[in-house]
Amino acid sequence: MLDLAVRGLAKIDSTLLRLRLIGTMEARALTGDSVLPVGGKTKSLLAILALSDRKPVARSRLAELLWSRRPDDLARASLRQEIHRLLDALSPLGVEIINVQRHALSLKPALTSVDAERILNGGISVLRDLPPPSEVLLGELNGIDGAFDEWLANQRDRLERHIRSLFESALRHQTDPEILLDVAEQLLQREELNEVAWRTRIQTLISTGERALAMNYAEQVVHLFQERLGTQPGPATMALVTGLQSRSPLKIDPALGHVGEASSAETVASLHENAVSAGGDVMLREPLSAMAVPGGAFPRRLGTLTIMPFSAAHNTGLQNVAAEMTDMIEVGLQKLQMFTILPFPQNITEKSADFWEDLRRAGNDYVVTGLLRPNSAPNAGAKGHLIVRVLDLRQEGSIVWADRFDLPENDVERKALFYSIRILMQWTLLVAEGQRLSMRPVKELSAPGLALRALVLLLRTDCTLIGEIQSLIGRAVELDGDLPLVLFVHALVRCKAAQELWVADYAAELSEAVGLATRCSSQLGENPLAMMLSVCLETTSEGLLTHAKAILAERRQKWGYDGASLHVGSPLTHWCLSMQALLSEDYETASAEMKLFRDARVDHPASALCEPSSILVLILCGNMREAEQAGAAFAGLYPRCTRGLFNYLLTLADRDAPEQEIASVRNQMLRLAPELSVARAMSHHAYLPAELQKKLSVLLSKTGLPNG
């Protein structure tokens, strides 16, 4: 819809090197082959040159950005090495892309193209081709160096300010109502608190007669500012809102359709009667504190969600089952207390050409759909299979999450399955919301927004991001440390930071995390999110195993797991059961439950956080070959996870691998966690039974770690 440029033939990019810096970093030749360097420093060097506006960058500046903590001579030497690595990586191009001078470097403009540069140098026409807000400029290069992190933050801010100015320019110069609404919506996806976009949206709807929908958005913007910032929008926005409320008494239809008690012209005129202009600013006749938002506005949480009635394939006799499943999902999601659940609008039909847009205009961020099909083979042991999808209406109905499940005949197993679906859906929505906020300036984020951003960074399983994560959750705690989501992420951060950094007083940190998780669980009630975290933490805390077992057993019975097949359940439940069996020295059950976890973990966004300890279970149960394979795979995917490297090192030590192979993993781990020693590692595993501690001690003695 955003058609702001004259369309013609697509431009052909004939440059030899094409750089993508927004989202996953790419460097491709004209043939499409990748020439992206491997190392983080080398990538960062290329990124600095690409974002320097084609101006030469002094070697001293490059050294300062990438090695700010090293003496000048060492930094210069490291820079020379990285320049050689970069030139080697780009050598397949056959032409010198980088102009290397004695005191400075630069990219040759005629031979290279950069996606971020095209946006920074472009006009309104570039808005049609913007990447989604979830794709961050050089997101994979966080934590390279403190000075580089500061430079990168400035570059991201520069890019976002330019994009914002382009959107606002488009809003000022467009007159077509449909384009105005589309541009405003896209701007709000990037900046939820942009008042220019909110005013444009409300004013455009007033002018087109959609007054009920304009009133709904007026209520939303006031509630949003109160929720995020604890204040109201600026005077110009409040003048618009107050005029619409005070001069246009409306009975808002649930479908947000057109209401005709007053003409749009009268509504617009009322805005001017309620405000006077002074020095170019709109001033209200009444103080802002006297204005109240009508009670019709829904209380937003992390987002709004509606469940479209599940459907069944024709002539299957499963329509009643589909209706039952719709009710189970709706009630279950409502009990989670994370998202605002809105009833599905009765007057919106899927046959409508604007079906998804109508759902979005009704105030929904996400919609859940489900389709029930019979099994193709008779007597397949299940009633049918269910396909569930979650769609993001702010991203034109793109699929956020989808999965296919066998629907059990047994009611108990079906109840357990629906519990698992709700939990997977909740985690997916949390991650989706966190990614959506990733481009927002930190100063604009509320406590839940800060917690979500910290959670998304934590799921990268990169110990070099711990400092940034702790800063985000610390700010969230300052704003509102008692919110359930903040408590949950705070507990998770305390635990993972203590593990990844191998802190000295691990037991104390774990105890703090247990306390935070318990407080969160007491607030969320039926939501097992924090309860599962609390059980996980208590399972590996000295003296709390019995309590953790009792809580999990009681909740499994409540959720319908008791009596259900073993394959029905959350991956995290299998992880807890495996750890509890290991600590009870029931190695057969521990191995069986861990296999179930590892089979199901790919579907769970948080599985990477549990993966290192799952490898430890394999080691302690004697499954060394499987443990080494899993450790090698995990270390390859997450090379900055010290727990993953630690467990992989144990498997190498067990088979007496060549010293060079062991030293490579050990040195990488000690660079990330220099305080790690045999004594520190044993203190982090004090919860293990004596026999398992003895086995761990023998393995550690072969790793070459300092005894410390």
Side-chain angles (χ1 to χ4, degrees):
M1 184 60 233
L2 186 55
D3 192 2
L4 303 174
V6 177
R7 294 188 183 275
L9 292 175
K11 294 181 179 180
I12 299 175
D13 185 0
S14 59
T15 53
L16 294 180
L17 176 63
R18 304 167 186 180
L19 290 176
R20 177 187 178 188
L21 306 182
I22 303 174
T24 302
M25 188 176 181
E26 292 180 358
R28 296 197 177 274
L30 186 60
T31 59
D33 295 330
S34 176
V35 291
L36 184 68
V38 176
K41 295 280 188 180
T42 321
K43 291 179 183 178
S44 301
L45 174 59
L46 179 59
I48 295 171
L49 298 178
L51 291 172
S52 65
D53 299 324
R54 304 297 172 154
K55 298 176 183 177
V57 183
R59 287 175 179 255
S60 58
R61 175 60 174 161
L62 293 170
E64 176 188 342
L65 288 176
L66 296 175
W67 294 276
S68 61
R69 296 182 180 179
R70 290 190 183 180
D72 290 346
D73 55 337
L74 294 179
R76 289 293 191 98
S78 298
L79 175 61
R80 286 193 294 272
Q81 291 179 353
E82 292 300 333
I83 292 173
H84 286 300
R85 291 192 180 104
L86 180 56
L87 294 177
D88 287 342
L90 301 178
S91 61
L93 298 172
V95 176
E96 291 184 359
I97 296 295
I98 298 178
N99 185 11
V100 181
Q101 301 172 2
R102 183 176 181 182
H103 298 293
L105 281 75
S106 63
L107 278 182
K108 294 182 178 180
L111 303 179
T112 56
S113 64
V114 184
D115 59 347
E117 185 181 62
R118 287 196 297 273
I119 295 173
L120 290 167
N121 295 333
I124 292 177
S125 61
V126 305
L127 295 180
R128 288 187 294 111
D129 302 316
L130 286 179
S134 59
E135 295 191 357
V136 183
L137 178 68
L138 300 171
E140 63 198 78
L141 295 184
N142 291 321
I144 295 295
D145 186 276
F148 180 81
D149 287 347
E150 183 176 353
W151 173 87
L152 186 53
N154 291 333
Q155 294 299 319
R156 289 171 179 167
D157 185 60
R158 171 193 175 198
L159 181 63
E160 278 305 299
R161 280 188 282 107
H162 181 72
I163 293 174
R164 182 193 311 130
S165 69
L166 292 179
F167 272 112
E168 292 179 352
S169 177
L171 292 176
R172 286 194 298 270
H173 294 96
Q174 281 295 322
T175 56
D176 186 294
E178 199 170 0
I179 292 180
L180 281 170
L181 289 174
D182 187 67
V183 177
E185 175 64 20
Q186 293 194 42
L187 179 52
L188 287 172
Q189 288 175 12
R190 293 181 173 273
E191 280 191 42
E192 201 172 13
L193 301 180
N194 189 288
E195 293 192 47
V196 173
W198 278 106
R199 290 198 298 271
T200 300
R201 178 189 258 183
I202 295 169
Q203 290 167 334
T204 302
L205 290 170
I206 291 173
S207 68
T208 58
E210 295 282 346
R211 295 169 51 253
L213 185 54
M215 175 67 83
N216 180 271
Y217 283 137
E219 296 174 18
Q220 282 191 38
V221 66
V222 175
H223 184 84
L224 184 65
F225 271 73
Q226 290 173 337
E227 183 185 67
R228 296 283 192 270
L229 304 178
T231 184
Q232 291 173 309
T237 306
M238 285 307 302
L240 191 62
V241 171
T242 309
L244 187 58
Q245 291 173 346
S246 62
R247 304 293 294 186
S248 305
L250 302 175
K251 296 180 180 178
I252 302 178
D253 187 82
L256 301 178
H258 176 70
V259 185
E261 280 88 336
S263 69
S264 59
E266 293 170 340
T267 303
V268 174
S270 72
L271 301 180
H272 297 284
E273 294 177 12
N274 190 62
V276 295
S277 179
D281 294 325
V282 179
M283 305 297 292
L284 301 178
R285 297 183 185 277
E286 297 179 24
L288 295 180
S289 59
M291 302 173 189
V293 181
F298 52 78
R300 289 182 63 91
R301 290 172 182 169
L302 294 180
T304 54
L305 185 70
T306 191
I307 295 89
M308 182 176 174
F310 286 11
S311 59
H314 293 300
N315 302 321
T316 60
L318 297 175
Q319 282 74 13
N320 290 338
V321 178
E324 177 190 358
M325 289 189 295
T326 305
D327 294 340
M328 291 177 69
I329 287 290
E330 186 172 66
V331 172
L333 289 177
Q334 178 61 42
K335 288 181 178 180
L336 294 182
Q337 301 184 54
M338 279 289 184
F339 288 79
T340 298
I341 310 300
L342 299 181
F344 188 81
Q346 296 298 316
N347 63 331
I348 296 180
T349 63
E350 197 171 2
K351 296 180 180 179
S352 168
D354 298 322
F355 175 69
W356 302 115
E357 182 64 17
D358 290 341
L359 282 178
R360 185 188 64 80
R361 288 181 177 178
N364 296 292
D365 298 326
Y366 300 96
V367 60
V368 179
T369 69
L371 175 63
L372 186 61
R373 295 184 184 276
N375 285 320
S376 56
N379 302 319
K383 200 175 187 66
H385 60 261
L386 173 67
I387 300 169
V388 184
R389 300 187 302 171
V390 178
L391 310 180
D392 188 342
L393 298 175
R394 296 163 299 186
Q395 297 287 343
E396 300 179 353
S398 60
I399 298 176
V400 175
W401 174 78
D403 210 337
R404 179 185 183 276
F405 305 91
D406 288 329
L407 191 67
E409 292 275 5
N410 184 284
D411 288 340
V412 175
E413 292 188 359
R414 196 183 306 176
K415 180 181 176 183
L417 172 65
F418 272 85
Y419 158 78
S420 301
I421 292 175
R422 295 197 306 268
I423 296 307
L424 281 172
M425 200 179 297
Q426 176 176 229
W427 268 101
T428 301
L429 289 169
L430 289 176
V431 173
E433 284 293 298
Q435 291 174 337
R436 190 176 65 83
L437 295 172
S438 61
M439 289 294 287
R440 288 267 303 279
V442 172
K443 61 184 179 182
E444 291 184 6
L445 294 178
S446 63
L450 291 162
L452 283 175
R453 181 176 291 186
L455 178 62
V456 169
L457 288 178
L458 195 65
L459 293 177
R460 293 187 187 179
T461 320
D462 183 344
C463 71
T464 64
L465 299 177
I466 293 294
E468 182 180 354
I469 293 169
Q470 289 175 323
S471 175
L472 287 168
I473 196 62
R475 182 176 173 83
V477 170
E478 289 177 3
L479 291 175
D480 196 340
D482 290 325
L483 284 177
L485 181 62
V486 175
L487 286 168
F488 172 76
V489 178
H490 192 191
L492 202 54
V493 170
R494 290 292 289 263
C495 171
K496 298 309 294 183
Q499 290 179 348
E500 285 297 306
L501 300 180
W502 296 88
V503 299
D505 198 351
Y506 177 62
E509 286 296 305
L510 200 57
S511 177
E512 289 290 334
V514 169
L516 292 166
T518 303
R519 286 169 57 194
C520 178
S521 184
S522 66
Q523 292 190 45
L524 288 180
E526 291 293 321
N527 190 332
L529 186 72
M531 193 284 303
M532 284 302 301
L533 176 60
S534 182
V535 169
C536 290
L537 296 176
E538 288 188 6
T539 295
T540 55
S541 298
E542 291 186 75
L544 296 180
L545 177 60
T546 302
H547 183 259
K549 283 184 174 181
I551 293 296
L552 184 57
E554 186 269 333
R555 288 306 176 105
R556 287 183 70 210
Q557 184 177 14
K558 185 173 184 179
W559 296 332
Y561 278 174
D562 280 8
S565 298
L566 283 176
H567 71 276
V568 179
S570 163
L572 297 185
T573 303
H574 293 308
W575 183 91
C576 283
L577 291 171
S578 177
M579 288 296 297
Q580 291 177 0
L582 176 76
L583 300 181
S584 300
E585 301 182 77
D586 180 358
Y587 304 132
E588 183 178 350
T589 301
S591 296
E593 289 290 347
M594 191 52 67
K595 184 180 186 305
L596 291 172
F597 165 77
R598 296 186 62 78
D599 289 343
R601 71 192 191 285
V602 68
D603 295 324
H604 201 294
S607 61
L609 300 179
C610 298
E611 181 81 349
S613 53
S614 77
I615 298 171
L616 181 65
V617 172
L618 295 175
I619 293 171
L620 297 177
C621 288
N623 303 323
M624 298 305 297
R625 183 175 180 182
E626 184 182 353
E628 183 174 352
Q629 292 175 343
F634 188 79
L637 288 172
Y638 303 99
R640 295 177 180 172
C641 174
T642 62
R643 287 275 166 165
L645 293 170
F646 175 81
N647 292 321
Y648 182 37
L649 182 64
L650 293 179
T651 65
L652 295 177
D654 176 73
R655 71 170 172 87
D656 296 322
E659 174 56 27
Q660 184 178 1
E661 189 176 355
I662 292 177
S664 175
V665 177
R666 181 180 64 236
N667 294 339
Q668 166 71 356
M669 185 169 56
L670 291 176
R671 279 193 294 269
L672 296 170
E675 301 298 322
L676 181 57
S677 64
V678 171
R680 184 70 59 88
M682 290 302 298
S683 72
H684 275 238
H685 296 89
Y687 61 90
L688 292 173
E691 189 65 27
L692 294 180
Q693 287 198 43
K694 182 180 178 180
K695 183 174 183 177
L696 179 61
S697 178
V698 171
L699 290 175
L700 282 170
S701 67
K702 301 178 181 181
T703 61
L705 287 172
N707 290 324

